Amino acid sequence: NLSGCFPRPLQVFLPMLRQGFRQMTAGLLADTFLEAHCITKVNKMEDKQGGVELPDDEVRDLCHEPEFYEKLASSIAPEIYGHEDVKKALLLLLVGGVDKASHNMKIRGNINICLMGDPGVAKSQLLSYIDRLAPRSQYTTGRGSSGVGLTAAVMRDPITNEVTLEGGALVLADQGVCCIDEFDKMMDGDRTAIHEVMEQQTVSIAKAGIMTSLNARVSILAAANPAFGRYNPKRSVEANIQLPAALLSRFDLLWVIQDKPDAENDLRLAQHITYVHQHSVQPPTQVQPLDMKVMSRYIAMAKEKTPAIPDGLTDYIVMAYVEMRKEARSSSDTTFTSARTLLAVLRLSTALARLRMSDMVEKEDVNEAMRLMEMSKFSLFEDSGEKRFVKPIDSIYAIIRDLAAGKSFVKAEEARQRIIQKGFKPEQFQHCLNEYERLDVWQLNTARTRITFVN
């Protein structure tokens, strides 16, 4: 298979020998053979850009720039307006987590994401950009795909009459990304073929005397529309999504992108779209987006890292997961919080450490992973009858009050980490501290490291 290679061949045409009736009907046929003297392997990014490699030092210095995480995320599909957190999640999908394998067990490191939203929120554009950016990827649609086309098909060779096995889209995208658009349009029988791939990372075949298992170590990026075309906030989440719980739990992040009318946001969006349509390039911003080849090179270097989780963070991650389960029991989102959620937090944390070119996961990585998990759940419930947050300051105060749990003081750093996990910004936390200190609800020491309640 010379796919992705540039040989310098000598073409040789050899006639195929036919016998009996086939010789009378087929005539003289010929096959083309390539006798290659030199093969140079390139990926599709080098093919488009001419094959010029950037210095490793120049690419590695990106992680030392201020706010490089936001810069990398904004460089993903810069022509598309907004979706900052969604682009950060897609960046982590490209980097991926670390695989854990032993003699009898394997835990996947690939990250699976499902984007579900109203028509016209650029889901397909995000998928096509990821398909172009990833070094190895496959793009398919739900209506044009079958279970056999995604996994593997048993074919019979017309010349030798032998049974052969041909891999589908998930097998061909091994160690890459498989983008599936119109995921909700797939038949239920075809959709169940993805279950094994999303968790075990293999495709088991038992057809026509062929019993084998093919590797499908692939990250799945799916895009779907809600059950009624548009997301209906008056209905429950289960009624809007209408996907089996066994499939939803295999997605590390499930984003609901709603097209809600907002005068200020609509004005900026219209200006952005008209500028892109006129000039075929994104509008000028404060942060200059990176070139696609630089992004691909940086992601390839980041995937070479294998960061580990230190023992000091184990208790912190365990308590954070227990807190998530506690909140899930008291609310209506129990379907989306399970033991796989804990593995998703670990995968996102290791992907963030890879992005920093680090060999060790830090607490800030875990906090950012928890924040992305919280923001994805917030996109599910922000308009579903119950309002989870009225004012950011009041919500932050309630979280700090619950963290005190009867005590008269709370450590400021512990409260700040808990607030960031809930999806709030550090500026909102500081504003809450100043506001309630002015109201004499609590007091802070001189170093501002301890919050003491007045009453």
Side-chain angles (χ1 to χ4, degrees):
N1 184 12
L2 300 178
S3 177
C5 303
F6 285 122
R8 301 169 188 171
L10 172 65
Q11 295 187 358
V12 181
F13 295 90
L14 299 177
M16 297 173 59
L17 181 62
R18 298 287 189 177
Q19 299 290 340
F21 181 74
R22 289 187 178 182
Q23 186 178 15
M24 299 173 58
T25 57
L28 184 62
L29 298 180
D31 273 355
T32 303
F33 295 86
L34 302 181
E35 185 177 317
H37 301 285
C38 178
I39 296 179
T40 303
K41 184 177 181 181
V42 299
N43 56 35
K44 58 183 180 182
M45 295 301 300
E46 293 173 348
D47 186 16
K48 295 176 183 177
Q49 299 293 338
V52 180
E53 293 232 352
L54 291 175
D56 291 346
D57 297 337
E58 181 182 346
V59 179
R60 192 175 287 110
D61 289 341
L62 290 175
C63 63
H64 302 299
E65 296 183 2
E67 297 183 353
F68 82 100
Y69 176 47
E70 288 76 11
K71 185 176 182 179
L72 288 173
S74 61
S75 300
I76 292 181
E79 302 87 5
I80 298 175
Y81 175 77
H83 304 324
E84 290 84 5
D85 286 333
V86 176
K87 292 181 180 180
K88 290 180 180 178
L90 296 180
L91 177 63
L92 297 183
L93 177 137
L94 290 171
V95 176
V98 179
D99 290 329
K100 298 292 182 180
S102 62
H103 297 290
N104 300 320
M105 181 193 67
K106 178 184 177 183
I107 300 177
R108 66 178 171 93
N110 300 95
I111 298 173
N112 302 321
I113 296 178
C114 180
L115 303 179
M116 180 169 289
D118 298 333
V121 293
K123 299 187 301 296
S124 299
Q125 291 291 335
L126 288 172
L127 260 67
S128 62
Y129 188 89
I130 296 298
D131 176 52
R132 296 195 304 270
L133 180 59
R136 189 171 189 176
S137 62
Q138 292 288 331
Y139 187 92
T140 181
T141 58
R143 180 57 68 182
S145 302
S146 63
V148 174
L150 289 173
T151 55
V154 175
M155 308 291 291
R156 188 174 294 277
D157 191 284
I159 299 176
T160 62
N161 207 29
E162 294 179 353
V163 178
T164 60
L165 195 63
E166 292 189 3
L170 296 174
V171 178
L172 294 177
D174 185 33
Q175 293 183 338
V177 180
C178 183
C179 303
I180 305 176
D181 202 359
E182 305 294 342
F183 192 63
D184 57 306
K185 307 297 190 301
M186 292 181 64
M187 302 295 292
D188 293 337
D190 299 331
R191 199 185 290 126
T192 53
I194 313 177
H195 287 207
E196 181 190 0
V197 177
M198 294 183 68
E199 201 60 45
Q200 278 74 38
Q201 303 275 279
T202 56
V203 174
S204 300
I205 298 296
K207 298 178 181 178
I210 298 177
M211 289 173 287
T212 185
S213 181
L214 305 176
N215 285 327
R217 297 156 295 184
V218 59
S219 297
I220 293 180
L221 175 59
N225 292 113
F228 305 98
R230 293 180 63 90
Y231 194 88
N232 189 355
K234 296 183 180 180
R235 293 178 176 267
S236 63
V237 178
E238 292 80 3
N240 276 287
I241 296 178
Q242 286 192 356
L243 289 176
L247 183 63
L248 290 177
S249 64
R250 285 171 163 81
F251 284 107
D252 300 298
L253 291 174
L254 174 64
W255 288 92
V256 173
I257 308 174
Q258 300 185 40
D259 185 14
K260 296 180 294 185
D262 184 3
E264 184 179 354
N265 189 60
D266 292 343
L267 176 62
R268 293 197 298 266
L269 176 62
Q271 293 173 349
H272 183 95
I273 292 176
T274 52
Y275 186 93
V276 172
H277 189 272
Q278 290 174 352
H279 302 87
S280 299
V281 68
Q282 68 274 8
T285 56
Q286 296 179 353
V287 179
Q288 182 66 25
L290 299 174
D291 185 66
M292 185 181 288
K293 185 175 182 182
V294 179
M295 287 279 296
S296 178
R297 181 65 180 150
Y298 186 86
I299 291 172
M301 294 176 62
K303 294 179 75 171
E304 296 176 359
K305 296 288 184 178
T306 55
I309 298 177
D311 296 335
L313 275 181
T314 305
D315 294 337
Y316 181 74
I317 297 174
V318 169
M319 294 307 297
Y321 170 70
V322 172
E323 186 69 21
M324 291 176 63
R325 289 282 292 181
K326 181 180 178 181
E327 292 182 2
R329 284 197 300 269
S330 59
S331 60
S332 58
D333 58 348
T334 54
T335 308
F336 307 100
T337 303
S338 63
R340 285 174 175 163
T341 308
L342 176 59
L343 294 175
V345 172
L346 297 176
R347 278 188 283 268
L348 294 172
S349 302
T350 52
L352 285 163
R354 274 182 164 181
L355 210 58
R356 293 186 295 104
M357 299 291 181
S358 175
D359 295 326
M360 199 65 64
V361 177
E362 297 181 357
K363 185 176 288 187
E364 293 299 326
D365 300 329
V366 181
N367 289 336
E368 175 64 16
M370 298 286 291
R371 190 191 70 83
L372 288 175
M373 297 285 295
E374 186 67 22
M375 293 306 295
S376 65
K377 291 186 178 182
F378 179 62
S379 68
L380 293 171
F381 293 95
E382 60 180 344
D383 277 337
S384 58
E386 51 171 324
K387 280 288 183 182
R388 303 184 83 184
F389 304 102
V390 181
K391 288 183 180 180
I393 295 180
D394 297 340
S395 301
I396 292 173
Y397 170 74
I399 294 172
I400 297 176
R401 193 73 180 178
D402 294 339
L403 187 62
K407 298 186 294 184
S408 60
F409 66 91
V410 176
K411 293 182 180 179
E413 180 62 25
E414 183 181 355
R416 189 184 72 86
Q417 293 176 359
R418 179 63 62 86
I419 295 303
I420 294 176
Q421 285 181 8
K422 297 299 181 182
F424 295 99
K425 299 179 181 178
E427 297 83 12
Q428 296 173 332
F429 172 66
Q430 294 296 332
H431 182 49
C432 178
L433 289 183
N434 299 333
E435 184 69 20
Y436 279 91
E437 186 181 19
R438 187 180 62 83
L439 297 174
D440 291 333
V441 176
W442 55 47
Q443 294 179 352
L444 280 83
N445 58 352
T446 307
R448 301 182 70 86
T449 58
R450 182 178 174 131
I451 304 172
T452 305
F453 288 91
V454 176
N455 296 325

